[in-house]
Amino acid sequence: MEKLPGRPLGNEWFELSDRERLKVLLQLVRLEARPHAIELPASGSIYYAGDLPSDSPRIALPDSDLCIGPSAALEWWFAERVLLRVNRGPCTCEDPIDVLRNPALKELAWLRAYGRPRFPFERAYREFMDYHFLRPVLRHPDLQPNNIFISNNLDIVGLIDWQHASALPLFLAAGIRNFFQNYDDPASLELRPPPAPDLDDMDVEEKANTLHNFQRRHIHFFYLAFTQRFNEPRFRVMDRATNMLMRRVFSHAGEPWEGNNIPLQADLTLLTKSWHNYSTNPCPIPFPPAKADSIMHVQGIQEEVDLQLKQNLKLLCARARQIKVDGLASLDTDYEREMTDRHWPFDDHDEDE
């Protein structure tokens, strides 16, 4: 961060105009397309070959001193996971089972018997993937405004926090960024540009909430629209419902470590019901109908709780923004407003400042 020019985007992201946000989003999508186009021989993390222990597995990158080695993604190492004796890669395209391999999995015998490189079940998708199996793609692990540095004219000058980056199979790397997605909003799922809101006759809090909702819809739509235009292979994979479920299974697999196995059980229940979309072999995970209904019922309750928490957080954030606006407006001089805005006690900040 000290060596990069510019400043983090996070502090001003929602203060930008619609046109300014689109300028940044367009650059961001184009930047994402560049590593997406790199041909990689395996999934894992990228190292200088000399930095890995001599006994560490690796796959060399041609014509370079780099290689792909074990995954450095945080989900493989967080908390007690660091003590597990599991294969963390690299995982070749010819052996996609490695992505899932873990001695504790009771499904391992099934995977060894039936797992093999597969083309997408939907034949129409194979051409735009260049007829590759699970092509590895390099993607930033946490792309959000605080990790994006911009210049005074809003040109992106750098991205930080690459330390947990990994090359992943395309279907895992193709999801819309968490910060830019707005899937909980039905209007955002229509994939149409949102109309500008009419703020007349609204009080201050209503205006803040309405404007925040519009901004979220605006960001969601144009992130997808720019991705469709400038990174079409990723957009097509991202747009497949089956891939979304597979990404959810992968991301929720670690949640039982945090005391919550409901999302994973719900994902696996949905997976068994749509197994015919993934394979012609028998599904290895049976759920009796009564058990499946019970899991989905509990999942529905949890989603309601999550929605309530999200709505409460949204209200708190809107109220916090308004408190800052009112506080700055109450000050007498430009200097007081500048210093208070720069050192607002409830903003994120460097602990050393």
Side-chain angles (χ1 to χ4, degrees):
M1 293 176 66
E2 295 171 351
K3 297 182 184 299
L4 272 177
R7 64 192 186 279
L9 174 62
N11 292 337
E12 55 193 283
W13 174 243
F14 282 110
E15 306 301 323
L16 300 179
S17 68
D18 297 342
R19 183 180 294 274
E20 289 172 332
R21 281 199 306 276
L22 292 185
K23 177 179 180 178
V24 175
L25 278 178
L26 178 58
Q27 295 176 78
L28 195 59
V29 169
R30 284 176 162 169
L31 280 174
E32 285 190 296
R34 291 166 61 183
H36 185 278
I38 298 173
E39 295 287 340
L40 296 171
S43 297
S45 291
I46 298 178
Y47 300 82
Y48 285 107
D51 289 344
L52 281 177
S54 59
D55 60 347
S56 182
R58 71 193 69 200
I59 295 176
L61 293 178
D63 303 319
S64 78
D65 55 353
L66 300 171
C67 67
I68 295 183
S71 175
L74 185 60
E75 57 263 25
W76 287 99
W77 302 94
F78 182 69
E80 295 90 345
R81 294 177 181 86
V82 71
L83 303 175
L84 291 177
R85 311 293 292 181
V86 296
N87 180 8
R88 296 180 173 90
C91 311
T92 64
C93 301
E94 289 74 26
D95 191 9
I97 306 170
D98 280 343
V99 178
L100 303 172
R101 184 169 290 153
N102 183 324
L105 291 178
K106 63 180 179 181
E107 292 85 13
L108 184 58
W110 187 91
L111 288 172
R112 284 175 171 160
Y114 297 106
R116 64 181 184 275
R118 300 182 189 277
F119 286 114
F121 186 80
E122 175 55 66
R123 291 172 178 263
Y125 294 130
R126 298 180 182 182
E127 181 179 357
F128 76 81
M129 292 183 178
D130 296 328
Y131 305 100
H132 288 168
F133 301 106
L134 299 176
R135 182 170 74 86
V137 172
L138 180 63
R139 195 182 187 204
H140 192 289
D142 184 24
L143 199 56
Q144 43 93 359
N146 286 328
N147 291 334
I148 301 168
F149 274 57
I150 56 171
S151 66
N152 288 335
N153 60 355
L154 298 180
D155 290 330
I156 295 179
V157 296
L159 305 176
I160 65 170
D161 278 7
W162 286 87
Q163 63 266 33
H164 298 298
S166 296
L168 294 171
L170 181 57
F171 79 93
L172 289 178
I176 186 172
R177 299 292 185 170
N178 287 336
F179 190 87
F180 304 114
Q181 61 87 9
N182 198 31
Y183 283 122
D184 291 338
D185 174 43
S188 293
L189 302 181
E190 297 176 1
L191 294 182
R192 291 186 297 187
D198 182 4
L199 302 178
D200 294 339
D201 301 324
M202 291 186 182
D203 61 32
V204 173
E205 189 167 341
E206 287 176 322
K207 286 183 179 180
N209 289 335
T210 301
L211 186 59
H212 180 74
N213 289 335
F214 169 74
Q215 290 172 337
R216 295 294 303 171
R217 291 169 182 170
H218 193 260
I219 293 166
H220 181 103
F221 172 79
F222 280 101
Y223 182 92
L224 287 175
F226 289 151
T227 299
Q228 184 178 27
R229 180 176 178 184
F230 295 104
N231 198 353
E232 187 177 7
R234 180 176 155 227
F235 177 82
R236 291 188 183 182
V237 175
M238 184 167 56
D239 197 41
R240 289 183 62 193
T242 52
N243 279 343
M244 183 177 293
L245 178 56
M246 292 173 71
R247 287 194 299 273
R248 283 170 50 188
V249 171
F250 185 86
S251 62
H252 288 158
E255 292 198 1
W257 288 73
E258 316 304 330
N260 184 13
N261 62 6
I262 295 172
L264 179 59
Q265 289 189 63
D267 293 342
L268 295 177
T269 300
L270 295 174
L271 187 63
T272 61
K273 293 180 178 179
S274 59
W275 185 252
H276 60 280
N277 293 320
Y278 300 91
S279 175
T280 56
N281 293 309
C283 180
I285 311 172
F287 279 105
K291 178 65 174 178
D293 291 343
S294 175
I295 290 172
M296 298 311 297
H297 174 71
V298 176
Q299 171 69 2
I301 295 174
Q302 179 168 307
E303 289 176 350
E304 291 179 5
V305 173
D306 289 342
L307 180 59
Q308 292 174 2
L309 291 173
K310 183 171 292 187
Q311 290 173 339
N312 291 338
L313 181 60
K314 185 184 295 185
L315 291 173
L316 288 172
C317 290
R319 184 58 180 158
R321 288 194 297 270
Q322 190 57 46
I323 290 173
K324 184 176 182 180
V325 170
D326 294 342
L328 294 176
S330 69
L331 300 174
D332 296 326
T333 67
D334 290 341
Y335 178 77
E336 286 179 310
R337 282 187 285 272
E338 179 186 352
M339 290 298 102
T340 301
D341 183 43
R342 186 182 300 178
H343 302 281
W344 187 251
F346 305 111
D347 284 344
D348 289 338
H349 63 279
D350 191 325
E351 294 180 1
D352 293 331
E353 290 183 352

